[in-house]
Every structure is written in C-alpha cells, then in structure tokens.
Amino acid sequence: MSRHSLDPGAPDASYLAFWRERHLCTLTTLRPDGSPHVVPVGVTYDPQARLARVITNKASAKAAHVLAAGEAGARVAVCQVDGRRWATLEGHAFVRTDPARVAEAERRYAERYERHPSPNPSRVVIEIELERALGRG
C-alpha cells in the first residue's frame, strides 16, 4: 500500500489486509458547533458493502453527533495508524438500531478484535457509507 486515494469498494490486497489486522482506531464526528470530536473505537471494514461499522452505546456522544446530522447522515472519518502505515475511511454515517445489523456488527468486531463485545441492550451500530479511502503503507 503506497500513499494514495482508492475506491473503498475495491481496495488493493495490502490495504484490506491492514484493515483486518487488530488495531485501535479513531472516529471523528462533528459537534453541533462544527468542532471535531475524536474518540478511540474498534472499526470493521466491509468493502463489498462499502461500509465501515462502529458498535457503541445509543447514549454515546458519537451516536448523538451522528443523529444530530439528520437524514442525510453525518460526515465522518475513521482512521488507524501503525508506525508509518495509516489508513482512513470517509463517508456519511447513520445510527442503526435494527437487531440484525447490530448483530452483524458485533460478529465482525469479534472476528477482527478476537473477542466478543460484552452484552449491551443499549448497543447500536454506526454504519458509515464509504465514499473515500486513503492510506500509506
């Protein structure tokens, strides 16, 4: 993976491999005043669906920021870094409460992070409909 922008639905093998490694990521959302809110999260990347997923509590600030953006979704970015390697996925985020979607996000999280998230009846998934992928490896 060299420095470049690529189609998030068709990443090269090294970019996809980097997103399958176990790394802590960040999610950047925008507060109502436009200032960035950056928090550590676990992220899963599904290029075939052109989605990144973040599981969270429905009462979290990140979920509130996404919901505040309304029906058009919130502009967000998720990023991971490992030394000189980095990767960013950008798009519009939506909070999903459908149990099947939350379960799929939990399954993918468990696969990537090699641990099942603790039970949480207030869990939702932030789905990011991907528009851009950037990175350097």
Side-chain angles (χ1 to χ4, degrees):
M1 173 175 70
S2 60
R3 181 181 298 211
H4 60 287
S5 176
L6 58 131
D7 177 355
D12 62 40
S14 63
Y15 192 82
L16 186 56
F18 186 41
W19 276 103
R20 288 186 174 147
E21 294 173 11
R22 188 178 193 278
H23 294 288
L24 187 61
C25 302
T26 60
L27 168 68
T28 302
T29 58
L30 298 177
R31 295 181 181 99
D33 68 2
S35 63
H37 176 256
V38 183
V39 293
V41 294
V43 176
T44 62
Y45 175 32
D46 181 356
Q48 288 142 341
R50 296 181 71 94
L51 289 176
R53 295 175 178 92
V54 175
I55 56 175
T56 190
N57 191 299
K58 67 182 174 186
S60 69
K62 56 189 159 286
H65 297 156
V66 172
L67 288 168
E71 290 183 20
R75 295 279 307 153
V76 303
V78 290
C79 184
Q80 65 182 20
V81 64
D82 180 36
R84 296 183 61 147
R85 297 184 307 157
W86 62 272
T88 299
L89 299 168
E90 299 176 2
H92 282 85
F94 301 88
V95 172
R96 307 293 191 201
T97 59
D98 175 69
R101 289 178 122 145
V102 173
E104 177 64 7
E106 290 171 332
R107 182 191 71 75
R108 289 175 178 274
Y109 177 95
E111 184 178 282
R112 181 175 189 200
Y113 292 98
E114 300 174 345
R115 72 175 195 85
H116 290 277
S118 56
N120 179 351
S122 297
R123 181 168 290 129
V124 297
V125 58
I126 296 173
E127 289 185 345
I128 304 163
E129 296 179 0
L130 300 173
E131 299 164 5
R132 182 181 300 164
L134 305 162
R136 177 173 186 236

